[in-house]
Amino acid sequence: MIDLDNLDAIKKLDSANSLGSIKELKKQCLDAWAQASNLNYNSITPVDLITIAGMGGSLYSYYFVTSLF
């Protein structure tokens, strides 16, 4: 079993740098919140469906959003 406090051991197994993606999540959420705060919602039509697309670690955002709702 891997020691989750041993970053060197994690990096050896984490070839896609998932740990790096997780570390950036807070900054990405804050950036998204700042951008969304500047939108003019009066000009947006109602939304029935949202599609999240991306490559690699972007799937984490899907898991995060679906866990909220």
Side-chain angles (χ1 to χ4, degrees):
M1 178 180 268
I2 188 171
D3 176 7
L4 295 178
D5 290 324
N6 185 341
L7 293 180
D8 291 329
I10 292 172
K11 288 177 183 178
K12 287 179 184 176
L13 298 173
D14 185 18
S15 61
N17 193 24
S18 295
L19 182 61
S21 294
I22 293 168
K23 285 182 176 181
E24 290 294 314
L25 181 60
K26 178 181 177 181
K27 180 184 179 304
Q28 292 170 358
C29 289
L30 291 171
D31 289 345
W33 184 265
Q35 291 176 25
S37 297
N38 292 325
L39 290 176
N40 178 3
Y41 293 103
N42 294 328
S43 65
I44 299 175
T45 58
V47 176
D48 295 324
L49 181 66
I50 296 174
T51 301
I52 298 175
M55 297 173 53
S58 56
L59 182 61
Y60 295 128
S61 61
Y62 165 78
Y63 291 139
F64 179 74
V65 171
T66 57
S67 72
L68 291 176
F69 300 102

